[in-house]
Structure formats: structure tokens, C-alpha cells
Amino acid sequence: MRSRDASILMVPGLGNSGPDHWQTRWQTKLPTARRVDQASWDAPERFLWAEAVHAAIVASDRPVIIIAHSLGVIATVDALTSRDVQNVAGAFLVAPPEEERLLALPQVDPAFALFPSAPLPCPSVLVASRNDPYASLASSENLALDWGSKMIDAGEAGHINSESGHGPWPEGLMAFAGFLNKL
């Protein structure tokens, strides 16, 4: 599949993705990409976030490819596994947090810490780091198994965001292009 043949939905995590974040940079380069806006980026509520992802999927008039980061991964997986979605061609999931570590963040709705464990209804890739402060590699591997996702080990890449030095993140873009090629 080519990116121009799909609606690409960017689903950022807590605080949104700023101007230097790879999601924002990719969004400007991919002509069919748009961001899923949330009611509150700084005090997320699980049901509202998942509903926003679902609404964006339903509003798309082409096959949907989702690119989610961090807490946005959980909202995406929730939308994909708890609601009827027919037109999602794939999900590229980056740096999902670990359930216990989410509970340590007071601004995050504790309901986010109950991750869906059902296989996703579409092909997916989960990219994880060996030294992510929000998740161990082992927990990411378990999520990939639960969701039926192909796992990509990004090495020691932190939380794979601008703070960890991943502004443009060309390696991620190459992995995403390879994922698209197989859809």
C-alpha cells in the first residue's frame, strides 16, 4: 500500500507531540496524514481518547493506517479491540507505556492501566526501546504477543520522542515504509 492511498491517523500520547517530535514531522511530510485531536492532552481520559480515535477512523473515506505513540497506542488499541472497525489496514505502534508505570502518573486516568489483551483486527508493528523510562522491553514484547504485532527492537532509544533525540527519526520512517509495503 502507498501512503497516498490511505488516511493516515497520527495518535500522539500525553501532552501531544510538539513541533520537534517525529510524529509532527512525519505528519507534515505525509499528505494524507492528520492528527487525532483529544479533548485534553494533559489530563487524558481513556474512554474519551479511544472514542476520538474511533471517530477519526469512522470519518475516514479510505483505508486507515494508524501511527500511534505512547499513551496514544493504548487509546488506539482500545478503539480497535472494543469497537467495530472495518476500514483499518494497519497500525504502527511506538513506545507503549507499561501498565504499572502509568499508575505513577497522577494526571493519567487510572483506567488506561488496564490494557486490552485481544489480538488486533489488523496487521500491526510495535516498536520498543531497551531503555524506555515508561516501559521495559519485556513488557513491550508481551504486548506485541497479546496484540499479534510484529516486534521491532529499536535498541537504546529512550521513549522514542524528541527528548530522547528522535526528532525526524529516519530509522522509524524506514520501518514504517517497510510496514506499508507489506500491506
Side-chain angles (χ1 to χ4, degrees):
M1 175 174 282
R2 293 184 297 210
S3 64
R4 69 175 178 232
D5 298 329
S7 290
I8 298 176
L9 300 180
M10 295 291 185
V11 185
L14 180 65
N16 200 348
S17 294
D20 293 329
H21 195 284
W22 59 267
Q23 271 187 316
T24 303
R25 291 172 185 231
W26 291 12
Q27 185 176 343
T28 62
K29 291 181 191 287
L30 298 167
T32 64
R34 63 188 168 92
R35 186 164 305 225
V36 175
D37 287 319
Q38 299 294 351
S40 174
W41 290 109
D42 299 320
E45 293 182 42
R46 181 180 180 153
F47 176 79
L48 294 177
W49 273 40
E51 189 55 39
V53 173
H54 182 256
I57 292 168
V58 170
S60 297
D61 58 355
R62 300 185 239 197
V64 172
I65 306 292
I66 299 173
I67 301 174
H69 180 256
S70 193
L71 198 59
V73 170
I74 307 311
T76 295
V77 170
D78 197 10
L80 292 175
T81 59
S82 66
R83 292 158 178 83
D84 184 29
V85 291
Q86 301 294 321
N87 60 334
V88 179
F92 192 78
L93 312 170
V94 181
E98 195 170 300
E99 292 170 319
E100 301 102 40
R101 297 185 195 189
L102 274 181
L103 292 173
L105 301 172
Q107 70 271 39
V108 176
D109 177 3
F112 269 106
L114 304 170
F115 291 3
S117 59
L120 300 183
C122 62
S124 60
V125 167
L126 190 152
V127 182
S129 166
R130 293 179 170 269
N131 64 341
D132 188 333
Y134 299 105
S136 67
L137 187 62
S139 74
S140 296
E141 289 170 334
N142 288 333
L143 290 175
L145 283 172
D146 286 348
W147 298 338
S149 302
K150 177 187 176 206
M151 174 76 179
I152 296 177
D153 180 345
E156 294 195 359
H159 193 49
I160 312 177
N161 57 11
S162 50
E163 288 80 20
S164 64
H166 293 84
W169 193 34
E171 302 87 357
L173 194 55
M174 287 177 19
F176 177 66
F179 175 62
L180 275 181
N181 237 4
K182 294 177 182 170
L183 295 180

